[in-house]
Amino acid sequence: MFSVDAYSPEEIAKRVETVGVKKAGMPLTQMLALSGLAGAFIAFGAVFYTVVVSGSTLGFGITRLLGGLAFSMGLVLVVLAGAELFTGNNLIAMAWASRKVSTADLVRGWITVYAGNAVGAALILGLVLMADTGSLGGGAVRDLAIATVVAKCELSIASAFARGVLCNTLVCLAVWLAMGGRSFVDKFFAVLFPVTAFVTVGFEHCIANLFFLPWGIALSGDLSLVSPAMVNLVVVTLGNLVGGTLLVAGTYWLVYLRHAER
């Protein structure tokens, strides 16, 4: 019988496990195409965020909140339009823990999706540079994009890692909540607040950084930022993996799936 009630946490766990098996077995071309879309969607969210907060005089907290709401468009598109995002796909670890996905397929999927996300982000980056989006607001967008990459490059390794862990904890919780919804409206609001929170607080998302970092470097022309940007990307990626696989997938697997009948 049709029900408008959200799925229970235990039902969500089983759905995530089932979807994880399907994602891990996805044909390569489909996986690459959908991951390219996800990289583009997150890049759109990053541009939207930068324009919204540029030149704001509303105060730090309110400005960041509005920026977080704008950035959340990226994951809304990933979840509702359909795409494969590396950070959200860390939840496939639940199916791996249940021995329904092999280690080889898990790693293959993560590497493929990460690469596809990078290509999608790079495509939007090229178009944004051609569009001269940085000139908006009398150059305020350019100035903020440059300040953003400088700030990310100045993070200590410990800070970047911790921010990566916290970020993907919230991103995977957003995907988890969306899996509990039965309608577009359910899923939209499920994604909105966790993503808004991670952006507002300043946590680090590796796929967003695949856009933010090269955009700021390209606008500044300062190639000395390349090396610290690469360090940031590697450390944040590792932090995102820990947050998504251990804190979310691992915890819910232990609670709901560890003793489930196979």
Side-chain angles (χ1 to χ4, degrees):
M1 183 179 297
F2 175 75
S3 172
V4 295
D5 292 337
Y7 291 100
S8 69
E10 184 174 2
E11 289 172 322
I12 294 172
K14 293 176 181 177
R15 283 167 55 80
V16 169
E17 182 184 66
T18 299
V19 170
V21 174
K22 182 177 179 180
K23 286 177 178 288
M26 187 180 297
L28 182 62
T29 53
Q30 184 181 13
M31 188 181 293
L32 283 171
L34 290 174
S35 58
L37 284 176
F41 293 160
I42 296 300
F44 279 134
V47 175
F48 193 15
Y49 160 85
T50 306
V51 173
V52 166
V53 303
S54 294
S56 173
T57 58
L58 296 176
F60 175 78
I62 297 300
T63 297
R64 297 282 297 194
L65 176 63
L66 291 175
L69 287 168
F71 181 86
S72 66
M73 179 190 74
L75 193 60
V76 167
L77 288 172
V78 169
V79 171
L80 298 185
E84 296 297 314
L85 182 65
F86 168 76
T87 46
N89 279 15
N90 286 175
L91 290 174
I92 297 174
M94 294 183 73
W96 172 82
S98 295
R99 299 181 181 179
K100 294 185 177 182
V101 169
S102 69
T103 300
D105 283 343
L106 179 72
V107 174
R108 176 191 74 99
W110 280 349
I111 291 174
T112 301
V113 169
Y114 196 100
N117 290 167
V119 171
L123 175 61
I124 300 304
L125 170 64
L127 293 172
V128 166
L129 289 171
M130 289 175 61
D132 195 20
T133 305
S135 66
L136 294 176
V141 171
R142 178 188 63 246
D143 294 341
L144 180 60
I146 295 172
T148 297
V149 70
V150 170
K152 289 179 181 292
C153 289
E154 290 178 347
L155 289 174
S156 68
I157 290 178
S159 180
F161 179 78
R163 293 186 188 199
V165 172
L166 292 166
C167 168
N168 209 31
T169 298
L170 286 170
V171 169
C172 285
L173 284 173
V175 174
W176 177 274
L177 292 174
M179 290 290 289
R182 294 178 183 268
S183 71
F184 267 36
V185 174
D186 294 342
K187 296 176 186 295
F188 174 84
F189 282 105
V191 168
L192 190 64
F193 290 103
V195 175
T196 297
F198 101 67
V199 176
T200 301
V201 181
F203 298 153
E204 293 281 308
H205 189 270
C206 63
I207 306 306
N209 284 1
L210 285 172
F211 177 84
F212 278 125
L213 294 171
W215 189 30
I217 292 171
L219 291 175
S220 70
D222 186 357
L223 296 182
S224 68
L225 294 171
V226 173
S227 180
M230 292 299 296
V231 171
N232 171 279
L233 190 59
V234 170
V235 173
V236 169
T237 299
L238 293 175
N240 287 167
L241 271 169
V242 170
T245 59
L246 296 183
L247 297 189
V248 181
T251 299
Y252 279 125
W253 181 82
L254 285 171
V255 172
Y256 293 115
L257 300 179
R258 182 183 180 187
H259 300 296
E261 293 184 6
R262 301 299 170 197

